[in-house]
Amino acid sequence: MTDPSLRGNLTSFRLPDVLTFLASARKSGTLTLTSGGSEATVFFDKGSVVYAGSNQETLRLGAVLLRKKKISAEQRAAIDKLMHAEGGRFGQIAVQQGLLTDDQLRDFLKVQVSEIIYDSFVWPGGTFAFIDDTVLPPYAVTIAIDLSNLIMEGARRIEEWEECERLLPDNTVVFKVVSNPDAEKITLSLDEWKILFLINGRRKLGELALAADEEPLHVYRVIYGLFGNKLIEPVTHTPSPDDTSRTKPATSPLEETMRQKPATFSADSTVREVADDTNLLVSTEAKLSYKDVVKPTIAQLTITNGEDAGLMFPLTESEYLIGRQRDNQISLADLGVSGHHVRIYRGPDGYAIEDLKSRNGTWLNGARTFHALLKNGDQIRIGATEMRYEILYEGNAVTAA
């Protein structure tokens, strides 16, 4: 194996400096960046970036296309399934299926490479090693990226990330939605609403970026904006993620519970302004109200097995917790069900289901799931209890407004 001609620590030598040196020296070779379990590989040809790869799921091409709304979650799952069955590359299959043109694929590969490098810019530390040998993977599609612009954008992101870490220094903090926001009528951007829906009083700040499938910098910006506008607040006591093996008494009115009372949002004014010396507040594109982004849906859950077979639970409210404890909106006397097992909430596309780190998991149509949009006829299993989800009425959200 060829020894690196350049190596060092990303704490001592910032990534923008390393990239600037490689570009100015017109180096050809392979730069490998590592930090913890994250690894990125950047390929250079005479100082220009021609390809990059990462071991992070959120930086795969399919994840990038989904974030950019070029494909749907169903199309991504179908291509992944085809790749596992028959082989091939995600981009090539997307072109074959008519989802992308060759030019669009090349453009999105540039976006993917840029995101891989941007992600590396905000790593807390790590190492780099450069080898004077460019051996591209056989599936690589070479591109040309303006490195100077990429470095300038990366440097800006470093400054914003450091500001986010200063304002939100603890990535283990858990946020919940404020029950009665100061603003009676709230409007946010669609991205801000989607992240707000993921704040469930259990996820740590560091876990929200993974759940949102977005760049951590974007998620931190939105979280700080929501926090600065007093739409969310830290949870003062975080429960054990699972309580299946313990029996708890009924929760008294004075006890803190992890059931998050859904905030009541209405339609037509903007979030109040909050004095702050940063630019990380809620987006200036915050024009969508709750009713604009949430699809009106009335549905029901029906237990399909055991002694309670046929028992129905209508779903008309914004949120339901299901579990063994009595403070859940739907309480089940099933020893395989956790105290707070699963959350069902109404989101932009209808009701969604979210596992609350239960011990025995949540199963949707025979496959374990952690977060998914529910569709008519879906079969849900938690513990030994099986339920069928049925949509009784479905309207449309006015997301184009």
Side-chain angles (χ1 to χ4, degrees):
M1 182 177 178
T2 307
D3 291 331
S5 60
L6 184 70
R7 69 194 320 168
N9 189 295
L10 289 172
T11 303
S12 303
F13 298 94
R14 305 297 292 269
L15 183 55
D17 298 329
V18 176
L19 295 177
T20 299
F21 169 76
L22 295 175
S24 60
R26 295 180 58 80
K27 300 286 283 184
S28 296
T30 305
L31 176 68
T32 301
L33 308 167
T34 58
S35 178
S38 300
E39 182 174 301
T41 307
V42 185
F43 298 87
F44 287 81
D45 180 34
K46 297 178 182 178
S48 298
V49 174
V50 295
Y51 190 72
S54 171
N55 66 346
Q56 297 184 69
E57 183 70 19
T58 56
L59 294 173
R60 289 182 55 202
L61 180 60
V64 172
L65 291 170
L66 184 62
R67 282 197 296 274
K68 301 300 180 182
K69 301 178 177 61
K70 187 60 185 176
I71 61 173
S72 66
E74 292 76 13
Q75 289 169 331
R76 178 190 179 186
I79 295 177
D80 280 339
K81 185 176 181 180
L82 196 59
M83 286 173 56
H84 291 137
E86 301 179 10
R89 303 299 300 172
F90 194 100
Q92 295 169 343
I93 296 173
V95 170
Q96 291 168 3
Q97 294 190 351
L99 301 176
L100 297 175
T101 64
D102 286 325
D103 288 342
Q104 287 174 327
L105 173 59
R106 192 171 296 277
D107 288 342
F108 278 107
L109 284 171
K110 290 181 181 179
V111 173
Q112 181 193 19
V113 168
S114 299
E115 288 198 5
I116 288 171
I117 297 175
Y118 290 148
D119 178 72
S120 305
F121 273 122
V122 297
W123 286 353
T127 62
F128 68 89
F130 184 80
I131 297 175
D132 295 303
D133 186 14
T134 305
V135 181
L136 287 167
Y139 52 78
V141 178
T142 57
I143 56 177
I145 290 184
D146 187 330
L147 192 56
S148 59
N149 286 339
L150 188 147
I151 291 171
M152 289 177 62
E153 171 65 12
R156 182 189 66 79
R157 293 191 181 203
I158 288 176
E159 292 179 0
E160 287 197 0
W161 181 253
E162 289 174 344
E163 182 71 356
C164 285
E165 288 189 316
R166 181 183 71 81
L167 296 166
L168 299 169
D170 182 5
N171 68 354
T172 66
V173 67
V174 176
F175 285 102
K176 65 179 180 179
V177 177
V178 175
S179 297
N180 296 297
D182 287 347
E184 293 181 358
K185 299 176 180 180
I186 296 166
T187 57
L188 303 171
S189 72
L190 183 58
D191 282 346
E192 288 159 354
W193 276 114
K194 287 182 176 179
I195 291 174
L196 182 63
F197 287 135
L198 292 173
I199 296 172
N200 62 4
R202 284 177 174 264
R203 281 196 180 94
K204 297 175 183 177
L205 175 59
E207 297 171 338
L208 278 166
L210 295 175
D213 196 22
E214 293 281 359
E215 296 176 3
L217 176 60
H218 173 69
V219 175
Y220 268 62
R221 283 177 59 92
V222 172
I223 293 298
Y224 178 70
L226 297 172
F227 178 59
N229 283 279
K230 299 186 178 180
L231 300 181
I232 60 174
E233 62 186 5
V235 173
T236 55
H237 171 67
T238 305
S240 170
D242 178 69
D243 48 18
T244 303
S245 62
R246 295 187 294 278
T247 301
K248 293 185 178 180
T251 307
S252 73
L254 297 178
E255 279 185 83
E256 274 193 304
T257 73
M258 283 315 303
R259 183 172 69 181
Q260 176 178 227
K261 182 179 179 181
T264 302
F265 299 118
S266 55
D268 38 20
S269 80
T270 57
V271 176
R272 67 183 181 83
E273 293 184 2
V274 176
D276 197 275
D277 59 352
T278 77
N279 64 344
L280 301 179
L281 294 176
V282 171
S283 169
T284 55
E285 299 177 359
K287 299 176 181 178
L288 297 172
S289 68
Y290 182 76
K291 73 174 184 179
D292 290 328
V293 297
V294 174
K295 180 183 289 187
T297 304
I298 297 175
Q300 68 181 20
L301 290 176
T302 305
I303 295 179
T304 59
N305 70 329
E307 295 180 359
D308 291 327
L311 182 61
M312 291 186 297
F313 302 97
L315 304 179
T316 59
E317 301 297 329
S318 299
E319 179 182 76
Y320 294 84
L321 293 188
I322 304 176
R324 208 177 62 252
Q325 286 188 205
R326 297 179 192 175
D327 65 331
N328 292 283
Q329 287 92 335
I330 299 176
S331 182
L332 300 174
D334 180 341
L335 294 179
V337 172
S338 296
H340 298 99
H341 193 109
V342 74
R343 173 190 181 221
I344 291 179
Y345 68 94
R346 191 187 290 146
D349 300 306
Y351 279 108
I353 189 168
E354 176 186 7
D355 184 79
L356 298 178
K357 299 183 180 179
S358 63
R359 180 182 297 256
N360 294 322
T362 298
W363 301 79
L364 183 65
N365 299 323
R368 187 165 186 173
T369 188
F370 297 94
H371 187 247
L373 177 68
L374 289 172
K375 298 177 181 177
N376 190 48
D378 276 349
Q379 302 293 322
I380 302 167
R381 177 168 61 84
I382 60 174
T385 303
E386 297 177 2
M387 294 176 284
R388 182 175 63 253
Y389 173 79
E390 295 172 291
I391 296 175
L392 305 179
Y393 167 80
E394 192 170 52
N396 294 308
V398 193
T399 53

